[in-house]
Amino acid sequence: MSIMSYNGGTVLAMAGDECVCIASDLRVGEQMTTVAVDQKKIHKITDKVYVGLAGFNSDAKTVLDKITFRKSLYELRENRKLKPEVLATMISNLAYQHRFGSFFTEPLVAGLDPVTNKPYICAMDTIGCIAAPQDFVAVGTGQEYLLGVCESFWKENMTPDELFEATAQAMLSCLERDAASGWGAVASFIIILKHIF
């Protein structure tokens, strides 16, 4: 049994046409015992970048604090908005620095490039190995249940409505099958509103 399955929890992100959707469950547990049902696993880092942290709650909070600190330093030093690719590399470096005593959390980054609005999603393991596909990523105990379902729901260039529906249905399907995740789900959505003249 993996240490990541001890606390449970699942985070999912899908990419569409200039939009990204990230969803997570709300359960905090200790093996099969539910401790709380209102755990926030998705965190807004910038206007167009979110990070999801599945795993041990205390380590997720520590990692979030370190991410926030490094993000602030980056924006002060570089005088520009943080891109999702840069955040992913930042988190990967942070995780790899602690590889001999790693944080028990699997980070997921979802966002839009602040200039081009190109979607970016990636997931990492506990030591920071990045996997950045073009379609969808998942971390946590429900990951194995999500991958097959997401393949059937996802298609290229989904509109925001289609993307939200695909993400929500995939997450609900996962929560019905994974006992370590559940007690509801929450989704955050990043879209670009196009002006019509």
Side-chain angles (χ1 to χ4, degrees), residues 24 69 72 90 92 107 111 116 150 152 159 162-163 175 180 182 191 196:
S24 78
F69 174 73
S72 298
M90 196 181 292
S92 176
T116 65
C150 289
S152 63
T159 65
E162 291 172 331
L163 181 65
L175 299 185
I191 60 171
I196 300 172

Side-chain angles (χ1 to χ4, degrees), residues 71-159:
K71 172 247 181 195
S72 298
L73 282 180
Y74 175 86
E75 289 183 345
L76 282 171
R77 184 175 50 242
E78 299 291 328
N79 197 24
R80 60 182 164 176
K81 293 291 182 187
L82 186 67
K83 292 183 178 184
E85 296 94 335
V86 174
L87 179 64
T89 303
M90 196 181 292
I91 296 170
S92 176
N93 290 338
L94 169 67
Y96 194 70
Q97 286 174 351
H98 295 87
R99 65 191 174 277
F100 297 117
S102 62
F103 297 113
F104 296 133
T105 184
E106 295 173 322
L108 183 149
V109 176
L112 298 175
D113 188 287
V115 178
T116 65
N117 293 325
K118 182 181 174 190
Y120 177 84
I121 55 174
C122 79
M124 291 167 234
D125 60 7
T126 57
I127 61 168
C129 180
I130 297 175
Q134 301 297 313
D135 45 11
F136 54 85
V137 290
V139 294
T141 56
Q143 177 182 11
E144 58 194 35
Y145 303 105
L146 276 169
L147 297 181
V149 175
C150 289
E151 283 180 357
S152 63
F153 280 122
W154 189 86
K155 61 184 182 186
E156 284 190 61
N157 300 320
M158 282 194 287
T159 65

Side-chain angles (χ1 to χ4, degrees), residues 52-74:
L53 296 166
F56 185 45
N57 189 33
S58 296
D59 282 357
K61 175 67 173 136
T62 301
V63 169
L64 179 63
D65 290 344
K66 289 179 180 289
I67 290 168
T68 305
F69 174 73
R70 290 175 183 213
K71 172 247 181 195
S72 298
L73 282 180
Y74 175 86

Side-chain angles (χ1 to χ4, degrees), residues 44-50 84 110-115 117 190-192:
K44 184 176 183 178
I45 303 301
T46 71
D47 289 339
K48 296 182 183 180
V49 181
Y50 284 75
L112 298 175
D113 188 287
V115 178
N117 293 325
I190 311 166
I191 60 171
I192 300 305

